[in-house]
């Protein structure tokens, strides 16, 4: 089940002083195609982060030199986009809360299994393309979605979407014409740990559809089809692209 991504391997900075835990996590990550830099101290980790700008940092809170929470704060200050996952030996809520307040995105309580770590990494990295989109706007029919600028145009006019409506449209636009399950949308737009009622998705979807079908919509505007018992699909009109309003 491992996914090997040699050319575009995700860079993970592991800051962990325990040789057994660090070795275990590094081996598991490398075996699954991640590129891992391992530092045993907070100072070393911060220096490494400055030099290599990793996409993900796995950060032990109990380090020999610096307070892990301070390391999290420095990392977040230097890079707003880096995914920071704190590793804590204690299921102590206060550690976790302080770590998240300092800018961490997630936490794992030791002992950390590689399987769980990989699942968390996949969930966080799935969400990254939207935030880190370096490509230009996506054009689907007369819909233009500029994820980097968070702008959405239908028929040349900008429509103003709420944040979750935008994220939902962005998630569907990454796979036009492809069925996307409700679970995947919940994980991408909300949170993979969110087990609440999925009514939020229905409400947001209804609002998004109203926005897409608003005043400037035309025959070239994509529509969202419901796939009963599965999820949704963004339908792009077959000859929709290239149309200009006269
Ligand atoms: Ca430690």
């Amino acid at each position: 089940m491992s996914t090997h991504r040699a050319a575009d391997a995700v860079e993970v900075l592991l800051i962990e002083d325990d040789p057994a835990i660090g070795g275990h996590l590094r081996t598991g990550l490398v075996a699954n195609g991640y590129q891992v830099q391992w530092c045993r101290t907070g100072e070393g980790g911060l220096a490494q982060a400055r030099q290599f700008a990793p996409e993900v940092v796995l950060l032990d809170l109990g380090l020999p030199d610096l307070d892990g929470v301070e390391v999290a704060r420095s990392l977040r200050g230097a890079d707003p986009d880096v995914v920071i996952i704190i590793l804590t030996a204690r299921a102590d809520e206060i550690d976790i809360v302080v770590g998240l307040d300092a800018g961490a995105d997630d936490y794992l309580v030791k002992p950390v299994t590689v399987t769980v770590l990989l699942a968390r990494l996949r969930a966080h990295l799935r969400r990254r393309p939207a935030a880190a989109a370096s490509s230009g706007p996506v054009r689907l029919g007369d819909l233009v979605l500029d994820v980097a600028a968070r702008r959405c145009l239908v028929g040349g006019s900008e429509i103003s979407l709420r944040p979750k409506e935008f994220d939902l449209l962005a998630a569907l636009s990454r796979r036009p014409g492809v069925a996307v399950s409700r679970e995947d949308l919940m994980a991408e737009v909300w949170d993979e740990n969110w087990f609440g009622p999925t009514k939020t998705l229905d409400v947001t979807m209804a609002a998004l559809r109203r926005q897409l079908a608003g005043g400037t919509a035309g025959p070239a505007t994509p529509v969202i089809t419901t796939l009963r018992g599965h999820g949704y699909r963004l339908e792009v009109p077959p000859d929709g692209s290239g149309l200009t309003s006269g």
Side-chain angles (χ1 to χ4, degrees):
M1 290 287 284
S2 62
T3 50
H4 290 274
R5 289 176 279 181
D8 59 344
V10 173
E11 288 190 23
V12 177
L13 171 59
L14 172 62
I15 307 177
E16 167 65 74
D17 63 313
D18 185 301
I21 296 171
H24 174 64
L25 295 181
R26 181 175 63 177
T27 303
L29 288 169
V30 168
N32 284 277
Y34 290 87
Q35 199 173 313
V36 181
Q37 307 272 352
W38 179 12
C39 296
R40 272 77 162 177
T41 64
E43 292 285 7
L46 287 173
Q48 193 80 354
R50 276 193 295 274
Q51 208 171 340
F52 293 101
E55 291 169 79
V56 178
V57 178
L58 301 177
L59 173 63
D60 175 29
L61 284 187
L63 292 167
D65 55 341
L66 300 179
D67 180 358
V69 170
E70 288 311 315
V71 176
R73 211 183 304 278
S74 299
L75 290 167
R76 176 57 70 222
D79 183 353
D81 294 327
V82 65
V83 174
I84 303 172
I85 302 177
I86 53 179
L87 310 173
T88 173
R90 300 146 290 192
D92 190 346
E93 273 190 8
I94 198 73
D95 272 5
I96 294 164
V97 168
V98 169
L100 295 175
D101 281 349
D105 298 284
D106 201 355
Y107 66 91
L108 290 167
V109 175
K110 296 176 187 177
V112 175
T113 68
V114 171
T115 317
V116 168
L117 173 59
L118 292 172
R120 293 291 180 88
L121 286 177
R122 281 195 299 273
H124 283 286
L125 294 169
R126 257 203 313 263
R127 284 197 291 262
R128 275 180 64 80
S134 51
S135 50
V138 177
R139 189 176 298 271
L140 299 164
D142 69 358
L143 168 73
V144 177
L145 198 67
D146 187 340
V147 172
R150 289 191 76 83
R151 297 181 69 192
C152 174
L153 282 77
V154 172
S157 299
E158 184 151 9
I159 60 173
S160 115
L161 298 175
R162 292 200 182 90
K164 289 301 183 195
E165 293 164 11
F166 189 95
D167 293 343
L168 191 52
L169 183 57
L172 290 166
S173 299
R174 279 197 286 277
R175 286 152 291 187
V178 173
V180 185
S181 72
R182 292 176 64 89
E183 290 74 22
D184 281 353
L185 287 173
M186 290 304 297
E188 283 179 50
V189 178
W190 283 272
D191 189 299
E192 80 279 10
N193 297 317
W194 202 84
F195 295 121
T198 57
K199 184 144 181 58
T200 307
L201 172 57
D202 299 321
V203 170
T204 307
M205 183 62 76
L208 173 59
R209 279 177 164 147
R210 274 197 303 277
Q211 292 275 23
L212 283 182
T216 56
T221 305
V223 295
I224 301 165
T225 299
T226 301
L227 305 169
R228 207 161 281 284
H230 180 74
Y232 300 93
R233 187 173 59 217
L234 186 70
E235 314 278 5
V236 182
D239 52 359
S241 44
L243 285 187
T244 49
S245 53

